[in-house]
Amino acid sequence: MPNLSKILKAEITRLARKEIKTAIDPVRKASAGHRKEIADLKRLVSLLQRDLKAASRPAEIVAEVGDTSSVSTRFSVKGLKSLRAKLGLSAAEFGLLVGASGQSIYKWETGKAVPRASQQAALAAIRGIGKRDAGKRLAAIK
């Protein structure tokens, strides 16, 4: 005959594990949800910190369009250089498109000066054009 105490002990252990598992499973699921939420919040905090850092840079310029709305555009030296290179224009030609002198374009590209709000709006308008459109606009200006 098997030892009754061993069987009873094994059965008590099995039932205890079963009860503990049913009590612990909701806590595990909640913990996993909290970890996911914490990770999402950390991502959000890092994005907000990056946006705050970008907003506190002095090169950000706000250009007013019309009387009621304002559009925020950023000026980037690297972006200006790459735009001018993409269009294949000299500083003087690019200045004609924007309404500035070639010297101003040079100073903007070297970071010695920052365009005014009106010039910033003109730069934003030129961002989407290609070489052909730039050539047509230059021909119309000249």
Side-chain angles (χ1 to χ4, degrees), residues 80 83-106 108-109 122-123 126 129-142:
L80 180 65
L83 177 63
R84 189 167 72 89
K86 180 186 102 174
L87 296 176
L89 300 174
S90 68
E93 292 170 334
F94 192 78
L96 283 175
L97 283 178
V98 178
S101 67
Q103 187 65 31
S104 294
I105 301 297
Y106 172 76
W108 297 345
E109 285 182 349
L123 285 171
I126 288 182
I129 68 171
K131 282 185 177 183
R132 290 182 188 158
D133 289 337
K136 288 178 185 177
R137 289 185 187 189
L138 276 176
I141 292 172
K142 289 181 181 180

Side-chain angles (χ1 to χ4, degrees), residues 25-140:
D25 277 346
V27 175
R28 282 186 185 159
K29 289 180 182 176
S31 176
H34 294 314
R35 284 194 305 269
K36 184 177 185 273
E37 188 176 344
I38 288 169
D40 291 341
L41 289 172
K42 283 183 179 181
R43 271 189 232 105
L44 179 62
V45 166
S46 68
L47 287 173
L48 290 173
Q49 285 176 338
R50 186 175 61 205
D51 289 346
L52 179 63
K53 186 177 180 182
S56 66
R57 290 186 190 133
E60 184 171 349
I61 298 202
V62 176
E64 291 189 16
V65 177
D67 294 338
T68 58
S69 66
S70 63
V71 177
S72 176
T73 58
R74 291 184 321 171
F75 173 73
S76 167
V77 171
K78 184 178 176 185
L80 180 65
K81 285 181 181 180
S82 66
L83 177 63
R84 189 167 72 89
K86 180 186 102 174
L87 296 176
L89 300 174
S90 68
E93 292 170 334
F94 192 78
L96 283 175
L97 283 178
V98 178
S101 67
Q103 187 65 31
S104 294
I105 301 297
Y106 172 76
K107 285 183 178 181
W108 297 345
E109 285 182 349
T110 56
K112 294 180 181 177
V114 178
R116 290 188 296 250
S118 61
Q119 296 163 332
Q120 185 73 22
L123 285 171
I126 288 182
R127 282 188 192 143
I129 68 171
K131 282 185 177 183
R132 290 182 188 158
D133 289 337
K136 288 178 185 177
R137 289 185 187 189
L138 276 176

Side-chain angles (χ1 to χ4, degrees), residues 2-10:
N3 192 349
L4 188 59
S5 65
K6 284 185 180 180
I7 294 173
L8 188 57
K9 185 177 179 182

